[in-house]
Amino acid sequence: MSGLLVGLLKVAFLAVIWLFIASVAGVIKSDLFGAKAGTGALAAQPNPKRRGSRRTAQLLVTNGPGQGDAVPLTGEIIVGRAPDATLDIVDDFASGHHARFYSDNESWIVADLQSTNGTVINGLRIGRPTRVGNGDMVRIGRTLLRVEEP
């Protein structure tokens, strides 16, 4: 092999390594600090169809950091470590935007947002959006949440 070809292969190999390192750094950054608006991050928006005079459902932290914290289940709830998450949990095993709670006007649905450690409902890891109801337990990282409906 000529010296020129070997030199070009070395440069190409280094370029591929640097692209890999840059992509890994981007994933780590978005996991720690959240995705920027317009890059697929979901924002919490109220759902006017769920408003009413009756007491609303809530999501209660029953175990883990923030035990006792609660957030009303209205509109769309994003749970994770990111500062822009609706329920910001302090859990090293949770992703920045870990799971999404939303309503289909009949019940509440939990969707895992491609988290690293997955989302578990009543002891079963979910792979697709799953309905939850009163008393269901949702584990995100090491944090345990309970759905409470009136």
Side-chain angles (χ1 to χ4, degrees):
M1 249 203 275
S2 71
L4 179 62
L5 183 59
V6 171
L8 288 174
L9 285 174
K10 285 181 182 180
V11 170
F13 181 69
L14 285 174
V16 168
I17 288 175
W18 279 108
L19 286 173
F20 175 74
I21 290 171
S23 68
V24 168
V27 168
I28 291 171
K29 179 184 172 216
S30 68
D31 192 42
L32 290 176
F33 302 111
K36 292 181 181 176
T39 59
L42 299 171
Q45 297 180 2
N47 183 348
K49 294 179 183 176
R50 299 245 348 145
R51 290 186 185 161
S53 59
R54 65 184 184 99
R55 194 181 80 147
T56 61
Q58 69 176 357
L59 195 57
L60 176 69
V61 179
T62 61
N63 194 5
Q67 185 172 354
D69 289 351
V71 63
L73 279 172
T74 56
E76 177 180 82
I77 306 295
I78 303 296
V79 180
R81 287 190 333 222
D84 63 339
T86 312
L87 180 57
D88 183 7
I89 57 175
V90 182
D91 187 333
D92 290 339
F93 290 86
S95 297
H97 295 104
H98 195 103
R100 173 181 171 232
F101 288 75
Y102 62 96
S103 171
D104 66 355
N105 292 325
E106 292 179 20
S107 61
W108 288 98
I109 299 172
V110 179
D112 185 75
L113 298 176
Q114 299 178 349
S115 64
T116 304
N117 294 322
T119 301
V120 177
I121 299 176
N122 297 327
L124 299 172
R125 186 173 177 158
I126 62 170
R128 59 188 174 129
T130 304
R131 294 182 189 278
V132 291
N134 191 33
D136 283 338
M137 302 300 286
V138 181
R139 185 171 53 82
I140 294 177
R142 291 184 174 168
T143 303
L144 196 57
L145 309 165
R146 182 174 60 229
V147 177
E148 293 184 342
E149 294 181 319

XYZ file of all heavy atoms in Angstrom, residues 24-123:
727
model
N -22.067 11.062 20.778
C -22.229 10.610 22.166
C -22.341 11.816 23.096
O -23.192 11.846 23.991
C -21.063 9.678 22.587
C -21.065 9.437 24.081
C -21.143 8.358 21.835
N -21.512 12.830 22.887
C -21.580 14.038 23.710
C -22.933 14.728 23.560
O -23.504 15.231 24.530
C -20.446 14.984 23.345
N -23.480 14.745 22.341
C -24.791 15.348 22.123
C -25.897 14.617 22.856
O -26.791 15.235 23.434
N -25.832 13.295 22.858
C -26.837 12.500 23.571
C -26.740 12.745 25.068
O -27.751 12.936 25.750
C -26.672 10.997 23.240
C -27.495 10.141 24.178
C -27.045 10.725 21.798
N -25.520 12.774 25.590
C -25.338 13.021 27.027
C -25.830 14.414 27.392
O -26.517 14.601 28.398
C -23.865 12.814 27.421
C -23.496 11.334 27.317
C -23.592 13.328 28.836
C -22.018 11.046 27.476
N -25.524 15.404 26.572
C -25.968 16.773 26.838
C -27.489 16.863 26.854
O -28.077 17.466 27.753
C -25.403 17.727 25.794
C -25.842 19.154 25.999
C -25.350 20.052 24.884
C -25.971 21.414 25.041
N -26.276 22.020 23.778
N -28.157 16.257 25.866
C -29.618 16.340 25.831
C -30.252 15.564 26.978
O -31.300 15.945 27.482
C -30.155 15.845 24.494
O -29.951 14.464 24.353
N -29.605 14.493 27.435
C -30.128 13.728 28.565
C -29.999 14.518 29.858
O -30.889 14.492 30.699
C -29.407 12.388 28.674
C -30.100 11.446 29.629
O -31.343 11.389 29.598
O -29.405 10.765 30.407
N -28.901 15.242 30.013
C -28.688 15.999 31.243
C -29.448 17.319 31.265
O -29.987 17.709 32.292
C -27.191 16.279 31.430
C -26.320 15.080 31.766
C -24.859 15.490 31.831
C -26.743 14.455 33.078
N -29.502 18.026 30.144
C -30.058 19.367 30.121
C -31.362 19.480 29.356
O -31.949 20.548 29.292
C -29.037 20.347 29.533
C -27.747 20.371 30.301
C -26.595 19.866 29.748
C -27.709 20.865 31.590
C -25.407 19.865 30.457
C -26.529 20.874 32.307
C -25.370 20.374 31.739
N -31.832 18.406 28.738
C -33.075 18.445 27.981
C -32.826 18.895 26.562
O -31.841 19.554 26.253
N -33.745 18.508 25.699
C -33.637 18.879 24.287
C -34.111 20.305 24.096
O -34.957 20.801 24.824
C -34.458 17.926 23.433
N -33.592 20.996 23.078
C -34.023 22.348 22.760
C -35.390 22.301 22.100
O -35.767 21.311 21.499
C -33.024 23.011 21.808
C -31.693 23.272 22.445
C -30.760 23.955 21.470
C -29.417 24.197 22.111
N -28.463 24.759 21.173
N -36.121 23.391 22.189
C -37.432 23.475 21.553
C -37.287 23.248 20.063
O -36.365 23.744 19.435
C -38.059 24.837 21.816
N -38.201 22.457 19.515
C -38.173 22.190 18.096
C -37.357 20.964 17.726
O -37.257 20.609 16.580
N -36.757 20.286 18.715
C -35.962 19.099 18.411
C -36.644 17.839 18.916
O -35.998 16.846 19.177
C -34.553 19.202 19.038
O -34.693 19.334 20.450
C -33.788 20.370 18.465
N -37.939 17.913 19.114
C -38.662 16.726 19.530
C -39.044 16.741 20.992
O -39.700 15.847 21.466
N -38.624 17.752 21.747
C -39.007 17.824 23.149
C -40.495 18.104 23.237
O -41.046 18.875 22.447
C -38.228 18.932 23.853
N -41.148 17.491 24.193
C -42.582 17.680 24.350
C -42.827 18.707 25.441
O -42.280 18.600 26.528
C -43.243 16.350 24.706
C -43.067 15.261 23.658
C -43.558 13.943 24.195
C -43.811 15.624 22.394
N -43.633 19.684 25.171
C -43.950 20.709 26.155
C -45.299 20.386 26.785
O -46.179 19.854 26.136
C -44.008 22.079 25.493
N -45.433 20.723 28.053
C -46.698 20.496 28.737
C -47.692 21.549 28.288
O -47.436 22.732 28.386
C -46.496 20.564 30.244
N -48.833 21.097 27.773
C -49.871 22.006 27.337
C -51.185 21.545 27.948
O -51.482 20.361 27.969
C -49.979 22.021 25.820
C -48.710 22.525 25.166
C -48.833 22.546 23.657
O -49.866 22.221 23.109
N -47.771 22.929 23.011
N -51.944 22.491 28.459
C -53.205 22.105 29.085
C -54.187 21.547 28.063
O -54.178 21.915 26.905
C -53.714 23.410 29.700
C -53.030 24.484 28.928
C -51.708 23.918 28.484
N -55.021 20.641 28.537
C -56.049 20.042 27.705
C -57.383 20.619 28.163
O -57.897 20.235 29.208
C -56.026 18.524 27.867
C -57.028 17.831 26.974
O -57.896 18.463 26.385
N -56.916 16.526 26.886
N -57.961 21.535 27.396
C -59.189 22.185 27.849
C -60.357 21.229 28.007
O -61.290 21.516 28.726
C -59.475 23.225 26.754
C -58.681 22.795 25.569
C -57.528 22.010 26.090
N -60.344 20.075 27.379
C -61.456 19.123 27.478
C -61.523 18.472 28.854
O -62.539 17.928 29.233
C -61.312 18.042 26.403
C -61.461 18.587 25.005
C -61.293 17.492 23.979
C -61.363 18.056 22.569
N -61.102 17.047 21.564
N -60.417 18.481 29.616
C -60.397 17.828 30.917
C -60.765 18.780 32.048
O -60.819 18.373 33.198
C -59.011 17.232 31.192
C -58.628 16.197 30.199
C -58.471 14.813 30.669
N -58.441 14.523 32.053
C -58.960 13.425 32.549
N -59.577 12.575 31.775
N -58.853 13.159 33.820
N -60.971 20.058 31.752
C -61.301 21.009 32.803
C -62.729 20.775 33.274
O -63.614 20.462 32.510
C -61.153 22.435 32.299
C -59.715 22.807 32.081
C -59.583 24.250 31.723
N -58.194 24.529 31.413
C -57.787 25.561 30.737
N -58.647 26.448 30.297
N -56.510 25.736 30.503
N -62.925 20.980 34.541
C -64.267 20.814 35.085
C -64.266 21.212 36.542
O -63.245 21.581 37.112
N -65.412 21.118 37.176
C -65.514 21.540 38.561
C -65.101 20.427 39.521
O -64.863 20.679 40.677
C -66.948 21.980 38.856
O -67.825 20.890 38.604
N -65.015 19.191 39.020
C -64.667 18.098 39.923
C -63.168 18.066 40.186
O -62.386 18.653 39.455
C -65.134 16.760 39.357
C -64.454 16.367 38.084
C -65.061 15.067 37.566
N -64.353 14.622 36.402
C -63.418 13.685 36.395
N -63.084 13.090 37.508
N -62.822 13.338 35.273
N -62.783 17.388 41.237
C -61.381 17.258 41.611
C -60.628 16.514 40.516
O -61.126 15.540 39.959
C -61.298 16.486 42.928
C -59.957 16.567 43.592
C -59.979 15.771 44.842
N -59.798 14.368 44.451
C -59.169 13.466 45.185
N -58.701 13.779 46.347
N -59.028 12.246 44.749
N -59.422 16.971 40.214
C -58.654 16.340 39.143
C -57.786 15.216 39.694
O -57.450 15.176 40.871
C -57.752 17.360 38.433
O -56.833 17.900 39.386
C -58.558 18.468 37.801
N -57.404 14.339 38.798
C -56.500 13.250 39.155
C -55.121 13.833 39.416
O -54.812 14.956 39.013
C -56.451 12.237 38.016
N -54.287 13.069 40.096
C -52.936 13.529 40.368
C -51.946 12.382 40.283
O -52.315 11.211 40.340
C -52.842 14.216 41.725
C -53.019 13.293 42.918
C -52.818 14.022 44.237
O -52.501 15.205 44.271
N -52.994 13.317 45.329
N -50.692 12.757 40.151
C -49.575 11.821 40.120
C -48.766 12.090 41.371
O -48.258 13.197 41.572
C -48.755 12.078 38.859
C -47.762 11.031 38.422
C -48.446 9.685 38.215
C -47.109 11.470 37.124
N -48.678 11.098 42.264
C -48.045 11.257 43.571
C -46.760 10.457 43.637
O -46.742 9.271 43.288
C -49.012 10.787 44.664
C -48.498 10.793 46.099
C -48.303 12.222 46.577
C -49.480 10.061 47.002
N -45.671 11.096 44.085
C -44.393 10.404 44.283
C -44.485 9.672 45.618
O -44.588 10.294 46.672
C -43.204 11.390 44.286
C -41.897 10.647 44.519
C -43.145 12.177 42.996
N -44.490 8.328 45.583
C -44.650 7.545 46.806
C -43.329 7.005 47.350
O -43.254 6.636 48.504
C -45.605 6.362 46.582
O -45.063 5.508 45.580
C -46.986 6.842 46.178
N -42.301 6.946 46.501
C -41.013 6.415 46.950
C -39.913 7.024 46.099
O -40.043 7.114 44.890
C -40.992 4.891 46.835
C -39.834 4.277 47.578
O -39.090 4.966 48.261
N -39.659 2.979 47.432
N -38.835 7.423 46.733
C -37.705 8.009 46.033
C -37.549 9.476 46.406
O -38.311 10.010 47.206
N -36.559 10.138 45.806
C -36.379 11.566 46.085
C -37.647 12.325 45.710
O -38.278 12.049 44.699
C -35.220 11.967 45.167
C -34.520 10.689 44.840
C -35.570 9.620 44.875
N -38.044 13.254 46.547
C -39.266 14.015 46.278
C -40.510 13.310 46.769
O -41.615 13.662 46.358
N -40.330 12.305 47.646
C -41.485 11.562 48.154
C -42.494 12.535 48.746
O -42.152 13.436 49.491
C -41.044 10.563 49.222
C -42.154 9.677 49.713
C -41.650 8.577 50.634
O -40.462 8.409 50.811
N -42.567 7.839 51.211
N -43.753 12.368 48.359
C -44.824 13.239 48.813
C -45.184 14.323 47.809
O -46.233 14.927 47.904
N -44.297 14.589 46.845
C -44.619 15.562 45.790
C -45.773 15.034 44.960
O -45.907 13.834 44.752
C -43.420 15.811 44.875
C -42.307 16.603 45.550
O -42.531 17.101 46.669
O -41.224 16.708 44.952
N -46.594 15.945 44.464
C -47.715 15.566 43.605
C -47.876 16.613 42.522
O -47.545 17.777 42.717
C -48.994 15.436 44.419
N -48.358 16.172 41.384
C -48.647 17.074 40.274
C -50.013 16.677 39.724
O -50.311 15.500 39.583
C -47.538 17.015 39.189
C -47.440 15.661 38.566
C -47.744 18.062 38.133
N -50.897 17.678 39.486
C -52.211 17.338 38.942
C -52.089 16.784 37.527
O -51.284 17.256 36.734
C -52.978 18.661 38.956
C -51.953 19.724 39.131
C -50.741 19.103 39.718
N -52.861 15.755 37.232
C -52.878 15.173 35.892
C -53.849 15.978 35.037
O -55.036 15.667 34.954
C -53.284 13.698 35.943
C -52.186 12.724 36.316
C -52.750 11.320 36.520
C -51.095 12.703 35.266
N -53.330 17.020 34.445
C -54.106 17.839 33.521
C -53.258 18.043 32.285
O -52.057 18.278 32.378
C -54.464 19.209 34.121
O -53.268 19.866 34.515
C -55.400 19.067 35.305
N -53.852 17.919 31.137
C -53.106 18.115 29.894
C -52.100 17.008 29.685
O -52.432 15.842 29.715
N -50.859 17.418 29.513
C -49.776 16.475 29.252
C -48.694 16.677 30.301
O -48.300 17.802 30.577
C -49.213 16.756 27.855
C -48.045 15.893 27.482
C -47.543 16.239 26.096
O -46.785 17.205 25.976
O -47.936 15.535 25.154
N -48.216 15.593 30.895
C -47.198 15.651 31.936
C -45.958 14.927 31.429
O -46.039 13.766 31.020
C -47.683 14.958 33.237
C -49.019 15.520 33.710
C -46.618 15.022 34.317
C -48.991 16.955 34.120
N -44.821 15.596 31.473
C -43.544 14.975 31.149
C -42.807 14.766 32.461
O -42.646 15.697 33.254
C -42.701 15.861 30.199
C -43.461 16.178 28.921
C -41.357 15.194 29.912
C -43.782 14.987 28.060
N -42.356 13.531 32.693
C -41.617 13.193 33.906
C -40.181 12.882 33.515
O -39.940 12.131 32.572
C -42.253 11.984 34.628
C -41.485 11.643 35.889
C -43.709 12.256 34.945
N -39.238 13.461 34.251
C -37.827 13.193 33.990
C -36.936 14.125 34.782
O -37.397 14.890 35.624
N -35.641 14.042 34.497
C -34.648 14.845 35.217
C -34.456 16.233 34.624
O -33.833 17.084 35.239
C -33.285 14.153 35.185
C -33.177 12.968 36.058
C -31.744 12.503 36.163
N -30.951 12.863 35.002
C -30.075 12.080 34.418
N -29.876 10.887 34.881
N -29.388 12.481 33.387
N -34.918 16.475 33.426
C -34.688 17.757 32.758
C -35.398 18.884 33.508
O -36.497 18.691 34.025
C -35.174 17.700 31.317
N -34.784 20.055 33.558
C -35.416 21.178 34.259
C -36.754 21.586 33.653
O -37.600 22.135 34.346
C -34.403 22.318 34.106
C -33.129 21.683 33.704
C -33.461 20.380 33.055
N -36.981 21.303 32.366
C -38.244 21.693 31.751
C -39.312 20.608 31.842
O -40.396 20.764 31.303
C -38.029 22.105 30.291
C -37.507 20.972 29.419
O -36.937 20.009 29.963
O -37.652 21.056 28.189
N -39.022 19.509 32.544
C -40.023 18.455 32.741
C -41.107 18.976 33.686
O -40.830 19.740 34.601
C -39.381 17.200 33.313
N -42.354 18.559 33.456
C -43.456 18.982 34.316
C -43.236 18.482 35.735
O -43.424 19.220 36.697
C -44.794 18.438 33.775
O -44.868 18.705 32.380
C -45.959 19.087 34.478
N -42.843 17.218 35.879
C -42.473 16.658 37.177
C -40.985 16.338 37.102
O -40.577 15.333 36.527
C -43.292 15.403 37.501
C -42.981 14.719 38.838
C -43.157 15.699 40.006
C -43.861 13.502 39.033
N -40.182 17.252 37.634
C -38.723 17.136 37.603
C -38.295 16.274 38.790
O -38.389 16.695 39.934
C -38.113 18.536 37.685
C -36.599 18.537 37.597
O -36.012 17.468 37.347
O -36.006 19.609 37.791
N -37.869 15.039 38.491
C -37.458 14.138 39.565
C -35.932 14.089 39.638
O -35.242 14.165 38.630
C -38.042 12.717 39.390
C -37.653 12.119 38.051
C -39.541 12.740 39.555
C -38.108 10.686 37.872
N -35.422 13.982 40.853
C -33.985 13.902 41.074
C -33.648 12.423 41.212
O -33.699 11.857 42.295
C -33.585 14.679 42.345
C -32.080 14.633 42.552
C -34.077 16.103 42.270
N -33.353 11.786 40.091
C -33.114 10.346 40.065
C -32.094 10.056 38.967
O -32.367 10.276 37.789
C -34.430 9.617 39.783
C -34.329 8.115 39.906
O -33.223 7.566 39.701
O -35.356 7.486 40.182
N -30.923 9.571 39.357
C -29.855 9.294 38.393
C -30.228 8.205 37.395
O -29.583 8.067 36.369
C -28.570 8.895 39.117
C -27.946 10.059 39.865
O -28.259 11.217 39.526
O -27.158 9.822 40.790
N -31.249 7.416 37.693
C -31.650 6.334 36.805
C -32.790 6.739 35.866
O -33.295 5.922 35.114
C -32.036 5.087 37.607
C -30.848 4.447 38.266
C -30.403 4.866 39.513
C -30.151 3.439 37.625
C -29.298 4.294 40.110
C -29.042 2.856 38.212
C -28.611 3.288 39.454
N -33.203 7.997 35.934
C -34.243 8.517 35.049
C -33.590 9.333 33.931
O -32.558 9.955 34.130
C -35.219 9.397 35.830
N -34.204 9.310 32.761
C -33.723 10.115 31.638
C -34.234 11.544 31.777
O -35.119 11.827 32.580
C -34.213 9.518 30.321
O -33.678 8.227 30.135
N -33.684 12.435 30.967
C -34.107 13.837 31.004
C -35.593 13.986 30.741
O -36.316 14.651 31.472
N -36.082 13.375 29.680
C -37.514 13.293 29.365
C -37.822 11.802 29.319
O -37.635 11.161 28.306
C -37.833 13.971 28.026
C -37.578 15.436 28.054
N -36.483 16.011 27.465
C -38.277 16.445 28.621
C -36.517 17.308 27.664
N -37.597 17.603 28.362
N -38.257 11.257 30.443
C -38.358 9.813 30.608
C -39.694 9.255 30.130
O -39.735 8.296 29.371
C -38.144 9.456 32.082
C -37.866 8.016 32.316
N -36.604 7.541 32.572
C -38.676 6.945 32.327
C -36.656 6.229 32.731
N -37.911 5.839 32.592
N -40.785 9.854 30.601
C -42.119 9.337 30.272
C -43.099 10.486 30.111
O -42.903 11.571 30.646
C -42.619 8.380 31.352
N -44.159 10.194 29.362
C -45.198 11.188 29.086
C -46.540 10.627 29.541
O -46.898 9.507 29.183
C -45.215 11.474 27.579
C -46.327 12.339 27.104
C -46.212 12.505 25.576
N -47.390 13.146 25.067
C -48.119 12.698 24.071
N -47.782 11.588 23.449
N -49.181 13.334 23.678
N -47.271 11.402 30.321
C -48.628 11.066 30.736
C -49.572 11.982 29.967
O -49.370 13.191 29.934
C -48.827 11.315 32.236
C -48.138 10.328 33.134
C -46.765 10.385 33.327
C -48.856 9.346 33.787
C -46.128 9.487 34.161
C -48.233 8.445 34.627
C -46.857 8.511 34.813
N -50.596 11.409 29.353
C -51.577 12.213 28.633
C -52.915 11.494 28.659
O -53.007 10.316 28.998
C -51.125 12.494 27.195
C -50.940 11.264 26.332
C -51.948 10.829 25.485
C -49.752 10.541 26.370
C -51.775 9.709 24.686
C -49.567 9.422 25.577
C -50.585 9.009 24.736
O -50.410 7.896 23.958
N -53.960 12.221 28.289
C -55.307 11.667 28.329
C -55.850 11.487 26.919
O -55.565 12.283 26.028
C -56.226 12.618 29.102
O -57.568 12.200 28.981
N -56.642 10.439 26.748
C -57.372 10.262 25.492
C -58.862 10.554 25.724
O -59.713 10.088 24.989
C -57.159 8.865 24.919
C -57.756 7.761 25.782
O -58.266 8.057 26.892
O -57.714 6.599 25.364
N -59.159 11.304 26.785
C -60.502 11.692 27.220
C -61.296 10.546 27.842
O -62.437 10.741 28.235
C -61.301 12.363 26.088
C -60.737 13.710 25.719
O -60.245 14.434 26.589
N -60.784 14.045 24.456
N -60.736 9.353 27.897
C -61.373 8.229 28.589
C -60.524 7.785 29.771
O -61.052 7.402 30.802
C -61.569 7.057 27.625
C -62.577 7.327 26.536
C -62.711 6.140 25.601
O -62.333 5.017 25.984
O -63.197 6.338 24.479
N -59.204 7.783 29.596
C -58.300 7.359 30.657
C -56.946 8.018 30.447
O -56.711 8.694 29.441
C -58.157 5.830 30.650
O -57.626 5.404 29.417
N -56.050 7.782 31.391
C -54.694 8.306 31.300
C -53.803 7.277 30.636
O -53.956 6.078 30.844
C -54.171 8.691 32.675
C -54.856 9.919 33.150
C -55.914 9.996 33.996
C -54.580 11.252 32.733
N -56.313 11.299 34.138
C -55.501 12.087 33.376
C -53.638 11.817 31.880
C -55.512 13.460 33.196
C -53.633 13.195 31.703
C -54.568 13.996 32.356
N -52.858 7.754 29.858
C -51.942 6.889 29.111
C -50.517 7.291 29.452
O -50.210 8.487 29.547
C -52.193 6.998 27.594
C -53.625 6.540 27.298
C -51.176 6.184 26.810
C -54.068 6.774 25.887
N -49.660 6.293 29.636
C -48.235 6.527 29.887
C -47.464 6.014 28.681
O -47.672 4.884 28.242
C -47.746 5.793 31.155
C -46.256 6.028 31.371
C -48.532 6.225 32.366
N -46.555 6.856 28.179
C -45.693 6.463 27.067
C -44.253 6.684 27.481
O -43.902 7.757 27.979
C -46.023 7.279 25.819
N -43.427 5.676 27.311
C -41.993 5.806 27.564
C -41.399 6.614 26.410
O -41.724 6.391 25.253
C -41.342 4.426 27.646
C -39.890 4.507 28.019
O -39.600 4.765 29.198
O -39.038 4.330 27.119
N -40.540 7.572 26.727
C -39.949 8.437 25.709
C -38.551 7.956 25.328
O -37.597 8.712 25.342
C -39.911 9.890 26.211
C -41.278 10.495 26.508
C -41.147 11.893 27.090
C -42.138 10.519 25.251
N -38.447 6.683 25.008
C -37.187 6.049 24.618
C -36.123 6.247 25.683
O -34.973 6.566 25.387
C -36.713 6.568 23.267
C -37.685 6.282 22.159
C -37.237 6.832 20.821
O -36.300 7.593 20.713
N -37.924 6.416 19.776
N -36.522 6.058 26.945
C -35.596 6.223 28.052
C -34.603 5.067 28.083
O -34.848 4.003 27.519
C -36.373 6.273 29.369
O -37.031 5.038 29.585
N -33.503 5.302 28.753
C -32.461 4.288 28.845
C -32.907 3.091 29.676
O -32.693 1.945 29.282
C -31.191 4.900 29.477
O -30.801 6.025 28.704
C -30.059 3.896 29.517
N -33.539 3.341 30.822
C -33.900 2.266 31.739
C -35.354 1.824 31.644
O -35.784 0.955 32.378
C -33.577 2.679 33.179
C -32.092 2.825 33.386
O -31.298 2.056 32.860
N -31.689 3.837 34.139
N -36.126 2.436 30.767
C -37.503 2.013 30.578
C -38.449 2.518 31.653
O -38.049 3.083 32.656
N -39.738 2.295 31.404
C -40.800 2.676 32.328
C -41.556 1.407 32.706
O -41.856 0.581 31.848
C -41.755 3.689 31.658
O -40.998 4.844 31.272
C -42.863 4.109 32.593
N -41.854 1.263 34.006
C -42.482 0.049 34.514
C -43.826 0.414 35.145
O -43.903 1.330 35.964
C -41.569 -0.633 35.561
C -42.236 -1.861 36.153
C -40.224 -0.990 34.946
N -44.890 -0.298 34.742
C -46.216 -0.088 35.311
C -46.635 -1.372 36.009
O -46.682 -2.434 35.391
C -47.246 0.282 34.226
C -46.841 1.587 33.546
C -48.643 0.402 34.831
C -47.735 1.984 32.399
N -46.909 -1.256 37.305
C -47.336 -2.402 38.119
C -46.403 -3.604 37.928
O -46.842 -4.741 37.818
C -48.781 -2.784 37.808
C -49.748 -1.673 38.161
O -49.539 -0.926 39.110
N -50.796 -1.542 37.383
N -45.116 -3.344 37.865
C -44.117 -4.413 37.781
C -43.786 -4.889 36.383
O -42.916 -5.733 36.215
